[in-house]
């Protein structure tokens, strides 16, 4: 093996280790913080008791990672670590009840399923090429919009739902403008797909996730 090859391999291992460690640490801290901030203020109560918070930060982590494969796997790790941090804090806070293990398992599986998509979305919006950037840009606001629909239609919390829907629309607008300025030809796909995806996310959350959580 040449010295140059060994050096490049060593650098790749170092980047992988550093990225994995930072992503896991960030996820654990995020999970711990969202539990610890419950009930401190009405605003933080809703912001921390929300899937959107974890999802937005997972997409941000994906955007900060340099390579696409690592961003995809980092998204899964981020969500799993966040679940771990949250339920570790819950256990230490003595609020991890008898049904907590099943709930933690459901959220962990959901995180492993959705985390790679979110990591990819964050990476693609920042570093990708072509119109797929607009599709990726719709992923994050669609989750916020979907949660807003769930809060209003499923739970009847229309005051909070309006806030989530407004934030989702603002994110959609900001990302659409960003993509337009970045020269993405079909930047408008972000604005079109975000609300459609939000409705799909709401249906999936109500039918699949609520069903799984209700069974544990």
């Amino acid at each position: 093996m040449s010295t140059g090859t060994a050096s490049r391999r060593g650098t790749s291992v170092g980047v992988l280790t550093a990225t994995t460690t930072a992503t896991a640490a960030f996820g654990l801290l995020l999970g711990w913080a969202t539990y610890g901030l419950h009930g401190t203020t009405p605003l933080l109560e809703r912001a921390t008791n929300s899937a959107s918070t974890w999802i937005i930060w997972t997409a941000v982590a994906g955007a900060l990672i340099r390579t696409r494969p690592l961003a995809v796997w980092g998204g899964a790790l981020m969500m799993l670590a966040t679940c771990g941090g949250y339920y570790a804090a819950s256990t230490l806070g003595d609020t991890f009840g008898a049904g907590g293990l099943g709930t933690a398992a459901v959220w962990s599986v959901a995180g492993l399923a959705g985390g790679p998509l979110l990591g990819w979305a964050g990476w693609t919006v920042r570093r990708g090429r072509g119109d797929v950037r607009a599709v990726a840009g719709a992923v994050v606001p669609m989750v916020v919009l979907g949660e807003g629909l769930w809060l209003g239609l499923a739970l009847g919390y229309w005051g909070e739902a309006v806030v989530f829907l407004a934030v989702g629309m603002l994110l959609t607008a900001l990302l659409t403008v960003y993509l337009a300025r970045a020269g993405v030809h079909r930047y408008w796909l972000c604005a079109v797909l975000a609300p459609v995806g939000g409705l799909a996310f709401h249906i999936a959350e109500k039918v699949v996730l609520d069903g799984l959580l209700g069974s544990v």
Side-chain angles (χ1 to χ4, degrees):
M1 181 185 297
S2 68
T3 303
T5 301
S7 177
R8 285 193 298 272
R9 182 170 294 180
T11 301
S12 297
V13 172
V15 170
L16 175 62
T17 302
T19 302
T20 301
T21 302
T23 302
F26 186 29
L28 288 169
L29 180 62
L30 177 61
W32 195 283
T34 50
Y35 175 82
L37 292 172
H38 277 346
T40 50
T41 68
L43 177 61
L44 285 176
E45 170 66 23
R46 173 42 58 193
T48 55
N49 190 23
S50 163
S52 295
T53 300
W54 291 6
I55 285 166
I56 289 171
W57 283 111
T58 300
V60 170
L64 294 175
I65 296 174
R66 291 188 177 182
T67 65
R68 182 172 58 186
L70 198 52
V72 170
W73 288 109
L77 177 61
M78 173 82 174
M79 291 296 284
L80 188 61
T82 304
C83 287
Y86 181 89
Y87 285 105
S90 174
T91 300
L92 293 176
D94 201 27
T95 59
F96 191 83
L101 188 60
T103 302
V106 169
W107 280 111
S108 296
V109 170
L112 286 173
L117 174 64
L118 296 162
W120 168 84
W123 183 91
T124 302
V125 167
R126 184 180 182 190
R127 306 177 190 274
R129 294 182 179 180
D131 294 336
V132 71
R133 295 177 69 185
V135 177
V139 170
V140 175
M142 84 174 187
V143 174
V144 181
L145 292 169
E147 189 164 6
L149 290 174
W150 178 72
L151 286 168
L153 297 175
L155 301 182
Y157 299 159
W158 283 107
E160 295 171 342
V162 168
V163 174
F164 271 75
L165 292 171
V167 171
M169 288 187 288
L170 177 61
L171 279 174
T172 302
L174 290 174
L175 284 166
T176 301
V177 170
Y178 169 80
L179 292 165
R181 290 184 174 180
V184 177
H185 181 58
R186 294 185 174 86
Y187 63 89
W188 48 266
L189 282 172
C190 179
V192 172
L193 294 176
V196 175
L199 179 60
F201 182 84
H202 163 63
I203 294 172
E205 189 172 35
K206 184 174 178 59
V207 174
V208 180
L209 187 59
D210 284 2
L212 289 172
L213 289 172
S215 66
V216 296

